[in-house]
Amino acid sequence: LASERRRIERAGGYVVEVRGVARATSAAGVGFGVQAARRESLYLSVSRGLGDPQLKAPTPVVTAEPEVKIFGLDPQRDLFVVAASDGVFDALSDARVVDMAREGLLAGAGDDGGAATHHHHRQQPTKETDRRAVSFFSAEAATVAAKAIVKDAFAKGAADNLTASVVVFPWTTPELLRRQQQSSAASHLPRRTPPAAAELRTASRAGPIATAPPAPAPAPFDMFADDDLPP
């Protein structure tokens, strides 16, 4: 983030790219060079965290003070949170991590089409349980999802440490996860080229198209089928 870069630079540190990954370092790290500095852990792809005293004094490049943001949650869209180490995100995109967590939760919930075998019906809050969240998903299902993320990152060649944790919101159901999964799969389908655009490209490869009579401009969405409409 630009704001985090400014914080680091104001503190006397640097942000450099190493193999396409932004890393925070100190003047000592720049002086040692990448290879020697990496052995001393002077190049980090995170800038806030515990430990790493060599990047906290005398130059506070890394800080233990967390950056806090507050988001409103949509129960139809926000179904779980994944917290993972940078080694995971060095190998996997955000979208891939979300997909793996969703698939892992459904697999961990049971084999009956994704519905939990032992929590098929959500427990209704009682006087004893109304102060704590009651969820369709057990800790074991969340563990299956976290392990799926770590294993996928390892299979993709991640070289850094790999840690992941999945937290499921209490309103999440297998049905909501499957609906989100179907929506995500549909968004990754290749879009068909509209016929008019394909003909235009063919004509342009064949030569100048100025001599052809101009086609009438199509009305909005005339060239799209219903399933080609943008979301």
Side-chain angles (χ1 to χ4, degrees):
L1 296 175
S3 60
E4 191 68 0
R5 177 187 288 269
R6 288 193 295 269
R7 182 196 67 77
I8 293 168
E9 292 173 347
R10 281 197 301 266
Y14 300 85
V15 177
V16 298
E17 281 202 8
V18 179
R19 296 181 180 177
V21 178
R23 294 182 179 271
T25 189
S26 63
V30 173
F32 283 142
V34 173
Q35 295 304 322
R38 289 185 73 182
R39 287 197 297 272
E40 302 296 327
S41 298
L42 291 176
Y43 279 73
L44 292 183
S45 58
V46 295
S47 58
R48 294 178 184 249
L50 304 176
D52 301 301
Q54 70 279 8
L55 286 174
K56 289 180 177 173
T59 305
V61 174
V62 173
T63 176
E65 181 180 349
E67 182 180 25
V68 178
K69 292 186 177 181
I70 299 175
F71 298 91
L73 298 178
D74 179 354
Q76 296 297 313
R77 185 175 62 89
D78 301 313
L79 307 181
F80 54 85
V81 171
V82 177
S85 62
D86 57 319
V88 170
F89 292 104
D90 284 346
L92 305 178
S93 67
D94 290 358
R96 178 65 178 175
V97 169
V98 170
D99 287 344
M100 293 302 300
R102 190 188 301 114
E103 292 172 10
L105 284 172
L106 288 171
D111 296 326
D112 55 341
T117 55
H118 58 292
H119 288 116
H120 187 71
H121 297 291
R122 189 199 305 254
Q123 179 184 356
Q124 294 301 316
T126 65
K127 289 183 178 179
E128 291 74 24
T129 65
D130 58 2
R131 293 186 179 181
R132 61 185 176 86
V134 180
S135 173
F136 266 105
F137 295 93
S138 64
E140 288 77 12
T143 300
V144 169
K147 286 183 176 180
I149 293 169
V150 168
K151 289 179 180 178
D152 195 46
F154 183 77
K156 295 292 193 300
D160 208 339
N161 96 56
L162 300 173
T163 304
S165 179
V166 178
V167 179
V168 188
F169 293 128
W171 55 77
T172 300
T173 66
E175 290 75 20
L176 282 173
L177 283 175
R178 286 196 294 271
R179 190 184 310 161
Q180 193 180 78
Q181 187 178 47
Q182 292 164 358
S183 176
S184 175
S187 68
H188 291 118
L189 290 175
R191 292 183 177 272
R192 295 198 301 274
T193 303
E199 291 170 5
L200 181 61
R201 282 209 296 267
T202 302
S204 63
R205 285 197 296 268
I209 60 174
T211 56
F221 303 123
D222 274 359
M223 65 178 69
F224 295 94
D226 288 345
D227 56 352
D228 287 320
L229 293 178

